[in-house]
Amino acid sequence: RWTRLDGTLTPGGEVPARPASATLRQWQKAQAKAGRRLERVVAVDWPFEGRVIAQLETALGPDDRLFVGSSMPIRDLEWFSHPAGPGPEVLCNRGANGIDGTVSTALGASLDGKRTVLLCGDLTFLHDSNALLSAYGHRGDLTVVVINNQGGGIFNHLAVAKSSRFEQLWGTPQATDLGKLCAAHKVRHDLADDWSDLRRLLEVRGKGVRVIEFRTDREADAAWRQKSFR
């Protein structure tokens, strides 16, 4: 026998509902307010990285798996993922910052046949791009969503972004053609030009590895977050 924190009855209804305390009501009110604000932040029609999380919530169910890369993706999941019901299994490598072996780990996790989606940034993907050697004949179902903002987007949120040598030392921009890189490994690559494209491509599933590239602007992304959370 138990009573939920929100004061609703137990499954059998034997125990009367316990009225929510004043503290609990304050937390519930604050949570609802924060949720509404976060919904407004992601309700944009341009390629805001936080909205990718909302797209994944729609695309993935409790029978699926979401593997989350380090840096901004894992932080965006914490900020913007608040599913109303059961969501996918969520996995990540240990630590919030290291990007070593992310693609390799996701490949291994998907070998059990469960539909797996890896969300990662471009530097994380490139850092472990040799993992695509294992894509040939892969028996699992793995979709890799690469948020390509041409560099280390997380650093645009720090004070060092104002440095005159920021791009060279922190932003570390890259100009790799991800389509050609995937083609070299005979891995399917699709460029999602807009939100409808991304939704459609996330519906593709089956044995093998496929890469969805979604391009964003890290400077615009950082500016929107700073404006929205003042």
Side-chain angles (χ1 to χ4, degrees):
R1 294 180 178 183
W2 48 272
T3 305
R4 297 187 182 96
L5 286 177
D6 62 5
T8 57
L9 288 172
T10 60
E14 299 92 344
V15 181
R18 182 173 57 191
S21 67
T23 301
L24 176 57
R25 289 195 298 272
Q26 288 179 336
W27 274 109
Q28 291 171 332
K29 184 177 180 180
Q31 181 176 349
K33 182 179 179 180
R36 290 191 296 270
R37 186 170 184 180
L38 290 172
E39 288 176 0
R40 290 196 296 270
V41 173
V42 300
V44 294
D45 56 5
W46 54 275
F48 173 56
E49 294 173 14
R51 186 174 171 181
V52 176
I53 300 299
Q55 295 281 57
L56 289 173
E57 276 190 0
T58 301
L60 301 178
D63 295 328
D64 301 319
R65 174 186 293 122
L66 175 62
F67 197 100
V68 190
S70 298
S71 197
M72 287 308 298
I74 191 68
R75 289 168 171 81
D76 280 345
L77 185 73
E78 180 182 16
W79 270 99
F80 300 110
S81 180
H82 302 280
E89 175 188 24
V90 178
L91 298 179
C92 63
N93 276 351
R94 181 178 181 273
N97 302 305
I99 61 176
D100 297 335
T102 300
V103 182
S104 298
T105 311
L107 276 162
S110 68
L111 281 172
D112 63 356
K114 190 172 188 175
R115 182 194 185 195
T116 302
V117 173
L118 164 63
L119 175 66
C120 66
D122 52 304
L123 295 187
T124 295
F125 180 73
L126 292 172
H127 194 69
D128 194 26
S129 62
N130 276 348
L132 296 180
L133 290 168
S134 299
Y136 181 74
H138 185 68
R139 302 188 307 277
D141 179 352
L142 177 64
T143 298
V144 182
V145 179
V146 182
I147 296 180
N148 187 358
N149 56 25
Q150 296 185 316
I154 191 171
F155 300 111
N156 285 81
H157 301 273
L158 305 179
V160 73
K162 298 178 181 179
S163 168
S164 60
R165 301 183 68 186
F166 171 75
E167 282 296 295
Q168 178 187 7
L169 300 178
W170 297 92
T172 58
Q174 53 78 28
T176 306
D177 188 322
L178 299 188
K180 291 181 178 178
L181 175 62
C182 291
H185 294 278
K186 292 186 168 46
V187 170
R188 172 175 172 172
H189 168 274
D190 291 287
L191 178 62
D193 290 321
D194 53 34
W195 296 113
S196 60
D197 252 4
L198 182 58
R199 281 194 298 272
R200 175 180 58 83
L201 292 168
L202 283 172
E203 293 175 357
V204 178
R205 57 193 306 164
K207 286 185 179 181
V209 180
R210 61 208 66 88
V211 174
I212 302 173
E213 179 182 355
F214 188 73
R215 295 175 181 172
T216 66
D217 184 321
R218 50 190 163 91
E219 291 185 1
D221 194 272
W224 176 242
R225 292 172 195 255
Q226 291 169 9
K227 178 181 178 180
S228 300
F229 294 124
R230 280 177 184 165

